[in-house]
Structures are given as C-alpha cells and as structure tokens.
Amino acid sequence: MFLRKVMSSTTRQIRQIQQIKRISGTRLFSEMAETAPEIEQESQKIEKSMNQVTLLGRVGGEPQKRGNDNHPVVTFSVATHTNYKYDDGNVVQRTDWHKIVVFRPALRESVYRFMRKGQRVLVQGKLYYGEIKDENGKIRPTTSIIAEDVVMFQRKDEDVD
C-alpha cells in the first residue's frame, strides 16, 4: 500500500514535469525531469521545523544595552500571567518571566528608546537555549527569546506626540 502511494506520487510528479517540458520545450525543464527522482529523495531527508514564540505581557524593567560595539544587543524582560481557579473558588495568578534579546539594528534602537517598564508589549521571536558562565566560572543553562518583532502598546496615561 505504502509503495503504491509512493509510486503514484512519483509518477504524478514525473507526468507534471513532462507536461511542463512539452509546454516550454526548454533544456532547463528536461534537466529537471532527469533529476526529479534525485530531488525527491533529497527532499524526503529534509523536513520542515518551526521555532516560533509569541508573548503578550508587560515589560518588567527598562531595556538594557549589552554586548559591545561589534555585537550590540538590547535585553528586557516580559511578564506573562496564567490564572487558576481552584475548586474552593480561590483564584491564583502565576507569573512567568521571559528574557527577551533584540539583535536587529532598527528594532533594537526602537526598543531601547521607546519601551518603558510596565508597558504592554507583544513579542514574536524564537526560543534560544544557551549557556553562560557565572562569576564563579560555573556554566549555567539559559533560555531566552530572540525577538524578530516587537509591538509596543501605548499606555493610557501617555500623551500622543
């Protein structure tokens, strides 16, 4: 059954390439038709993956410049909340803190200039796991979100310029 599906898929792809070849008549498509089985085998080895994080929360402190002139970075923290309601009616709020790092030059400068503590923010990026050496030389694991986009919401008490 599986082999029949693979054969059917391969046959269908070869027919499509042959049809394109008849329509175009170019050498490029004839070369593609000859290499189609090789391309299909390689594409089966490569699979798509995704590393995407979206956070909506409040900024925990003023953004900080880190790094050096060659590799500048701006970091800040974001708090997100999860509410739990127990059977007895008590509601408990759990706060998670997330470390955000911004490398993109224009985004980095905007975040540093305009973001303020307590501001509501939407961060989209990817999860990154790394290691840092503490002051005692011990290696500790660290987790951060590398920001690809940051949307800062205006606070109600701020005036529009």
Side-chain angles (χ1 to χ4, degrees):
M1 181 75 167
F2 173 75
L3 184 58
R4 191 177 306 152
K5 285 183 179 179
V6 171
M7 294 283 287
S8 173
S9 173
T10 303
T11 305
R12 187 171 45 248
Q13 288 175 347
I14 290 173
R15 283 187 191 141
Q16 289 172 345
I17 291 171
Q18 288 171 342
Q19 184 179 9
I20 292 170
K21 182 180 170 186
R22 277 193 299 271
I23 294 169
S24 69
T26 65
R27 183 174 175 198
L28 175 64
F29 286 110
S30 67
E31 291 171 2
M32 285 175 53
E34 292 169 3
T35 61
E38 295 170 17
I39 292 170
E40 184 175 325
Q41 287 175 353
E42 278 188 38
S43 68
Q44 289 176 355
K45 294 177 190 173
I46 300 170
E47 64 182 23
K48 183 167 173 74
S49 64
M50 186 178 298
N51 179 355
Q52 185 175 353
V53 175
T54 302
L55 298 173
L56 176 63
R58 295 225 178 249
V59 177
E62 300 297 325
Q64 303 291 315
K65 280 191 177 182
R66 305 260 187 222
N68 56 39
D69 291 340
N70 294 332
H71 303 296
V73 64
V74 168
T75 64
F76 62 97
S77 61
V78 171
T80 58
H81 305 288
T82 306
N83 297 316
Y84 298 96
K85 185 173 185 179
Y86 290 103
D87 292 338
D88 63 1
N90 288 334
V91 177
V92 176
Q93 186 177 69
R94 174 192 158 128
T95 302
D96 292 312
W97 290 95
H98 311 275
K99 179 182 176 184
I100 314 297
V101 294
V102 186
F103 292 103
R104 291 185 174 183
L107 183 59
R108 181 180 63 227
E109 293 307 313
S110 293
V111 165
Y112 187 72
R113 288 183 60 205
F114 300 112
M115 185 178 286
R116 296 293 169 249
K117 178 181 178 179
Q119 189 172 11
R120 196 152 164 86
V121 66
L122 176 85
V123 177
Q124 292 181 313
K126 59 186 175 181
L127 199 54
Y128 174 76
Y129 300 99
E131 295 176 336
I132 58 170
K133 265 189 188 177
D134 63 13
E135 55 276 348
N136 299 328
K138 186 177 179 183
I139 295 177
R140 295 186 307 131
T142 182
T143 304
S144 54
I145 291 133
I146 299 173
E148 294 173 356
D149 195 15
V150 176
V151 177
M152 295 171 271
F153 295 95
Q154 183 176 344
R155 295 172 61 169
K156 289 180 182 179
D157 59 347
E158 290 180 344
D159 292 330
V160 178
D161 292 332

